[in-house]
């Protein structure tokens, strides 16, 4: 072992507590990177493999009713590689042990299993038998949520007739990786499921023996999706086509793509902050070591050690810290990443989804952490290599003291002498004080970002499910019904009152931009569904014109007063110019609203409704749900409490692992930063503190000088940390926002208080450790040398 290596071991042993603190910070950055990047890679690989192996379609379309003979013309469209037609209907289900009515999406499949688009992966049971007229395969999410097994039976209303369906298999499909109803954003797997049924049986039940109402296709290499969509719409328009759309508008794929995007964003932002703090700490510690070891560096150079050897020696100090932190970080990253992959497997249904720890991932994490350490050490090491031996033998030039502004203004006379010493020291060491404040502020910022997620979820639940969606349940009819049906809904058992609505599929166009979605016609004096602006003030529906959500307006590039081209995709399919009257803020999904009477005029139809919002008496809810199960006209029922529960499960649980990890790591970083600051201050001022003890200062007074300074730095860092946390949260929101939901920039006072308390507790614990060292300070040894 060389002399320099023995010196390195002594330095590491002497600074073991600080080294361990920095290792923990490096470990946090490594663990975060491996967890987030590993989850991102796992989802990307699983998605690509699943889509490829089970032939997930590129384009989808729904029609009212089209003859099977049209399929040949559709398949002949240039750019179409493979096409399949289907029969798809949503029906009311009577599920065992479920009081509320569930909705089942029946999807036709061939009687004989063969490779096809959106193919099934059987988890349990078998494929349907052509002779079994009542056999169905149910989706895994629906089966798990309702504890259904092969052999169980479900009641279903098929085209007005009740029928018992027998489960023969449980499967998943790339079309429903994220299983959700089209009108919702978050899954309710207990009350919505997909059932695959014989094409012959399903077509006969809905009078589509030689027809179809749904199709999917794949594109040939080099095909233009926009051109294929245009030709599809032209051919399907006469058959009630609802507008063809690409994979990017497919709800399951969009949610999965948004989750992948968010993992990518958080996998960049958060580890960058952690590793940046680690680089900052390494720079501070190395700078302090080099400043204290100036005479040793001079002696080493005098004995013939070159600048490269000395530079490598100090760089090794940083690399040892990174190596130790990296080993711990990889282990933590695997642990957290495995938990996150297990959580994803509960929401996204793949044949295989496991946390993928690849050599490339570990290699890149080591390169990034090593690079951050090298960056932090670079400036400090350079000071050691360029220091001439003669200059290094001399002590550093003393600071030139002069009367500061605090003295000139006479402000210091109001402070105790010990407090004056603290303030003078901070004023004379401005840059060092600023760096300490900046480092602690980042610990506060990370805590704010971590706790912010809970604030955002609470805000969304309160606004969306208490202020905007006030109904207890929403009933959706299979087809538009006459407006008078509202009176019949009011007479249902358990209904206190109801408000009908009209939902119309349409394509909104403005210049070259367009969006396909449903326009909701609401009652202007309704109490169960409210619209709100950015200040959470109620918005009244104008008698004419569209009210758009701000996100939809941004996608279309419109403002109030602009005129949209509305292409209705049902009935007579009118195309009308409609003015954008107002914008509203909603955090979930995209929406366009109209006064229901104005929508009737736009459609040139008699009053008709697509469904009703219900205020339900809890005592009569069970009777209401039993009645709805038996009502043929009902295509689906959405219950607000169920949607709220689904939101909590989907978003809150999805954030649980990442947020818990983030907060835990932030606490470690807060302690590491504060403790290192206090230890460095003790080392740098050891001679000064010992001199004060010799001059008669008590141990308590000396402790106050050191820890009082650290306490003041911490207090000054907190407001800056709050501001940095707000800024980082805003950047993450902007980078990860999606059409499905947006996280609001809402940070509660409780979050700021928690960040302050945690950093304050870290400072207090650090102070206890440093106080113990002050108590055992060897006055004679400290006065002899600065080491």
């Amino acid at each position: 072992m060389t002399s320099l290596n023995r010196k390195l071991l002594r330095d590491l042993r002497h600074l073991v507590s600080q080294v361990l603190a920095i290792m923990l910070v490096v470990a946090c950055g490594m663990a975060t990177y491996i967890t987030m990047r590993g989850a991102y890679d796992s989802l990307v690989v699983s998605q690509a493999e699943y889509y490829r192996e089970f032939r997930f379609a590129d384009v989808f379309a729904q029609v009212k009713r089209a003859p099977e003979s049209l399929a040949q013309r559709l398949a002949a469209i240039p750019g179409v590689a493979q096409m399949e037609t289907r029969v798809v209907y949503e029906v009311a289900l009577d599920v065992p042990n479920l009081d509320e009515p569930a909705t089942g999406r029946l999807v036709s499949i061939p009687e004989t299993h063969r490779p096809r688009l959106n193919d099934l992966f059987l988890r349990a049971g078998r494929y349907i038998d052509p002779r079994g007229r009542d056999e169905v395969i149910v989706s895994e999410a629906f089966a798990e949520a309702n504890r259904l097994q092969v052999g169980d039976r479900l009641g279903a209303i098929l085209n007005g007739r009740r029928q018992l369906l027998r489960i023969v298999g449980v499967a998943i499909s790339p079309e429903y990786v994220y299983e959700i109803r089209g009108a919702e954003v978050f899954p309710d797997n207990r009350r919505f499921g997909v059932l695959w049924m014989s094409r012959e049986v399903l077509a006969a039940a809905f009078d589509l023996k030689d027809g179809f109402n749904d199709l999917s296709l794949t594109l040939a290499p080099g095909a233009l999706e926009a051109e294929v969509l245009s030709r599809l719409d032209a051919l399907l328009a006469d058959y009630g086509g609802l507008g063809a759309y690409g994979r990017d508008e497919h709800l399951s794929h969009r949610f999965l793509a948004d989750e992948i995007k968010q993992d990518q964003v958080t996998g960049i932002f958060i580890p960058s902050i952690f590793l940046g703090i680690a680089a900052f700490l390494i720079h501070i510690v190395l700078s302090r070591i080099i400043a204290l070891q100036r005479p040793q560096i001079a002696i080493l150079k005098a004995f013939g050690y070159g600048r490269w050897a000395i530079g490598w020696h100090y760089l090794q100090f940083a690399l040892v810290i990174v190596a130790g932190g990296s080993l711990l970080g990889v282990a933590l990253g695997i642990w957290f990443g495995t938990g996150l992959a297990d959580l994803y497997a509960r929401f996204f249904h793949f044949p295989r989804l496991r946390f993928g720890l690849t050599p490339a991932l570990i290699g890149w994490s080591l390169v990034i952490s090593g690079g951050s350490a090298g960056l932090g050490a670079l400036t400090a090491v350079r000071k050691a290599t360029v220091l001439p031996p003669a200059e290094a033998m001399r002590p550093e030039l003393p600071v030139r003291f002069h009367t500061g502004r605090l003295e000139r203004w006479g402000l210091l006379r109001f402070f105790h002498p010990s407090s004056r010493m603290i303030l003078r020291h901070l004023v004379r060491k401005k840059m060092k004080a600023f760096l300490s404040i900046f480092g602690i502020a980042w610990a506060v910022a990370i805590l704010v970002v971590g706790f912010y997620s809970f604030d955002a979820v609470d805000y969304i639940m309160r606004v969306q499910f208490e202020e905007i969606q006030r109904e207890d349940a929403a009933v959706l009819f299979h087809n538009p019904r006459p407006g008078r049906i509202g009176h019949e809904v009011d007479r249902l058992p358990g209904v206190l009152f109801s408000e009908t609505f009209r939902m119309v599929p349409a394509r909104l166009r403005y210049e070259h931009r367009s969006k396909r979605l449903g326009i909701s016609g609401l009652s202007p004096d309704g109490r169960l569904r409210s619209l709100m602006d950015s200040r959470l003030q109620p918005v009244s529906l104008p008698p004419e014109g569209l009210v758009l959500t701000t996100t939809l307006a941004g996608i279309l590039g419109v403002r109030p007063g602009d005129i949209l081209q509305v292409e209705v995709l049902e009935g007579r399919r009118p195309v009308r110019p409609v003015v954008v009257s107002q914008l509203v803020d909603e955090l979930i999904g995209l929406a366009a609203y109209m006064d229901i009477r104005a929508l009737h005029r736009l459609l040139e139809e008699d009053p008709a409704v697509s469904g009703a919002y219900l205020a339900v008496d809890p005592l009569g809810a069970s009777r209401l749900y039993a009645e709805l199960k038996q009502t043929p006209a009902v295509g689906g029922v959405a219950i607000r409490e169920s949607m709220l529960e689904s939101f909590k499960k989907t978003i809150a649980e999805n954030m649980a692992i990442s947020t818990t990890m983030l907060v835990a790591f932030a606490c470690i970083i807060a302690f590491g930063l504060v403790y290192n600051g206090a230890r460095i201050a003790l080392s740098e001022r050891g001679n000064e503190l010992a001199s004060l003890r010799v001059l008669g200062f008590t141990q308590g007074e000396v402790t106050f000088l050191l820890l009082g300074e650290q306490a003041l730095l911490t207090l000054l860092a907190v407001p800056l940390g709050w501001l940095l946390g707000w800024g980082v949260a805003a950047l993450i929101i902007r980078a990860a926002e999606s059409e499905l939901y947006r996280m609001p920039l809402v940070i509660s006072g409780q979050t700021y208080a928690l960040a302050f308390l945690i950093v304050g507790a870290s400072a207090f614990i650090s102070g206890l450790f440093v106080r113990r060292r002050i108590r055992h300070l060897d006055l004679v040894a400290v006065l002899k040398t600065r080491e």
Side-chain angles (χ1 to χ4, degrees), residues 323-346:
S326 298
L327 290 176
L328 179 58
V330 169
L332 287 173
I334 294 173
W335 184 48
F336 279 112
T338 302
L340 191 58
D342 291 341
L343 181 65
Y344 280 150
R346 293 163 54 187

Side-chain angles (χ1 to χ4, degrees), residues 77 288 294 345 471 512 521 530 538 581 584 596 639 659 766:
I77 293 175
R288 173 254 169 184
R294 287 166 58 93
E471 74 277 5
H512 63 283
S530 301
S581 298
V584 294
I596 191 170
I639 300 169
T659 301
S766 302

Side-chain angles (χ1 to χ4, degrees), residues 25-72:
V25 176
V26 174
C28 292
M30 285 284 290
T32 308
Y33 178 79
I34 288 176
T35 299
M36 298 300 182
R37 187 70 194 188
Y40 167 79
D41 290 342
S42 298
L43 285 178
V44 169
V45 172
S46 298
Q47 179 195 46
E49 291 179 350
Y50 192 22
Y51 284 6
R52 182 181 63 256
E53 292 178 17
F54 290 84
R55 295 166 290 281
F56 183 42
D58 297 313
V59 173
F60 306 84
Q62 289 81 43
V63 298
K64 188 72 173 177
R65 179 190 180 96
E68 191 63 33
S69 59
L70 182 65
Q72 293 182 353

Side-chain angles (χ1 to χ4, degrees), residues 607-621:
V609 298
S610 305
Y613 300 121
L614 310 179
V616 180
D617 181 359
L619 298 178

Side-chain angles (χ1 to χ4, degrees), residues 530-653:
S530 301
L531 305 181
M532 294 191 170
D533 61 18
S534 58
R535 298 184 300 275
L536 298 184
Q537 297 299 314
V539 172
S540 299
L541 273 172
E544 298 291 340
L546 280 167
V547 176
L548 305 182
T549 57
T550 52
T551 304
L552 176 58
I555 293 172
L556 295 173
V558 298
R559 295 177 297 178
D562 291 337
I563 295 177
L564 287 172
Q565 198 77 2
V566 177
E567 301 173 6
V568 178
L569 300 176
E570 73 169 32
R572 300 176 184 177
R573 307 174 73 87
V575 179
R576 299 280 189 273
V578 181
V579 67
V580 177
S581 298
Q582 202 162 357
L583 302 183
V584 294
D585 272 0
E586 290 187 5
L587 299 171
I588 297 179
L590 305 176
Y593 300 100
M594 287 187 77
D595 186 318
I596 191 170
R597 295 166 298 188
L599 185 57
H600 291 324
R601 290 192 291 271
L602 176 69
L603 299 174
E604 299 178 349
E605 66 176 10
D606 294 329
V609 298
S610 305
Y613 300 121
L614 310 179
V616 180
D617 181 359
L619 298 178
S622 58
R623 290 185 294 128
L624 170 65
Y625 299 146
E627 181 78 15
L628 293 175
K629 285 182 180 181
Q630 309 300 323
T631 305
V634 174
V637 178
I639 300 169
R640 186 172 64 102
E641 288 300 321
S642 302
M643 288 190 288
L644 181 57
E645 178 185 346
S646 174
F647 175 82
K648 290 178 182 178
K649 183 178 179 181
T650 304
I651 299 300
E653 290 190 20

Side-chain angles (χ1 to χ4, degrees), residues 468-773:
I468 296 176
Q469 295 179 237
R470 298 179 180 179
E471 74 277 5
D472 297 309
V475 175
L476 190 67
F477 304 132
H478 279 298
N479 298 298
R481 313 293 292 179
R484 63 178 180 275
I485 200 173
H487 301 295
E488 299 178 23
V489 172
D490 285 335
R491 291 195 293 269
L492 288 172
V495 175
L496 299 175
F497 63 92
S498 68
E499 296 171 3
T500 56
F501 61 87
R502 181 75 164 97
M503 183 70 71
V504 179
R507 188 180 299 277
L508 307 183
R509 293 189 183 275
Y510 184 76
E511 296 177 347
H512 63 283
R513 295 176 287 272
S514 68
K515 195 66 182 177
R516 189 182 63 89
L517 79 167
I519 299 177
S520 299
L522 305 178
S523 174
D525 54 355
R527 292 178 290 167
L528 297 179
R529 183 57 68 99
S530 301
L531 305 181
M532 294 191 170
D533 61 18
S534 58
R535 298 184 300 275
L536 298 184
Q537 297 299 314
V539 172
S540 299
L541 273 172
E544 298 291 340
L546 280 167
V547 176
L548 305 182
T549 57
T550 52
T551 304
L552 176 58
I555 293 172
L556 295 173
V558 298
R559 295 177 297 178
D562 291 337
I563 295 177
L564 287 172
Q565 198 77 2
V566 177
E567 301 173 6
V568 178
L569 300 176
E570 73 169 32
R572 300 176 184 177
R573 307 174 73 87
V575 179
R576 299 280 189 273
V578 181
V579 67
V580 177
S581 298
Q582 202 162 357
L583 302 183
V584 294
D585 272 0
E586 290 187 5
L587 299 171
I588 297 179
L590 305 176
Y593 300 100
M594 287 187 77
D595 186 318
I596 191 170
R597 295 166 298 188
L599 185 57
H600 291 324
R601 290 192 291 271
L602 176 69
L603 299 174
E604 299 178 349
E605 66 176 10
D606 294 329
V609 298
S610 305
Y613 300 121
L614 310 179
V616 180
D617 181 359
L619 298 178
S622 58
R623 290 185 294 128
L624 170 65
Y625 299 146
E627 181 78 15
L628 293 175
K629 285 182 180 181
Q630 309 300 323
T631 305
V634 174
V637 178
I639 300 169
R640 186 172 64 102
E641 288 300 321
S642 302
M643 288 190 288
L644 181 57
E645 178 185 346
S646 174
F647 175 82
K648 290 178 182 178
K649 183 178 179 181
T650 304
I651 299 300
E653 290 190 20
N654 193 20
M655 290 179 175
I657 289 183
S658 56
T659 301
T660 301
M661 176 186 68
L662 189 62
V663 171
F665 288 172
C667 294
I668 293 172
I669 288 176
F671 177 80
L673 281 166
V674 176
Y675 177 73
N676 263 284
R679 286 286 288 113
I680 290 171
L682 175 61
S683 299
E684 291 177 338
R685 303 181 64 185
N687 189 40
E688 175 187 339
L689 297 177
S691 300
L692 292 174
R693 287 295 313 280
V694 172
L695 292 174
F697 277 67
T698 65
Q699 182 177 307
E701 290 173 330
V702 171
T703 303
F704 176 77
L705 285 175
L706 183 65
L707 299 186
E709 178 181 317
Q710 298 304 309
L712 181 58
L713 292 173
T714 302
L715 290 174
L716 293 174
V718 169
L720 177 59
W722 288 343
L723 182 61
L724 288 173
W726 185 91
V728 172
L731 287 175
I732 292 176
I733 289 170
R734 174 61 66 88
E737 65 182 6
S738 70
E739 294 181 8
L740 293 176
Y741 66 90
R742 278 79 57 192
M743 301 299 286
L745 185 54
V746 178
I747 302 178
S748 68
Q750 182 180 2
T751 290
Y752 289 126
L754 281 173
F756 169 71
L757 290 175
I758 290 174
V759 171
S762 301
F764 179 75
I765 296 171
S766 302
L768 293 179
F769 282 103
V770 174
R771 182 174 179 272
R772 182 173 175 272
R773 287 185 171 271

Side-chain angles (χ1 to χ4, degrees), residues 61-68 85-90 106-108 199 202 206 208 211-215 236 239-242:
Q62 289 81 43
V63 298
K64 188 72 173 177
R65 179 190 180 96
E68 191 63 33
T85 61
R86 304 183 296 186
V87 176
V88 179
Y89 272 99
E90 290 191 1
L106 297 178
V107 180
S108 69
R199 170 75 178 263
L202 191 57
F206 289 94
L208 277 173
F212 65 91
N213 68 346
D214 189 279
L215 65 89
L236 296 174
Y239 303 96
L242 300 180

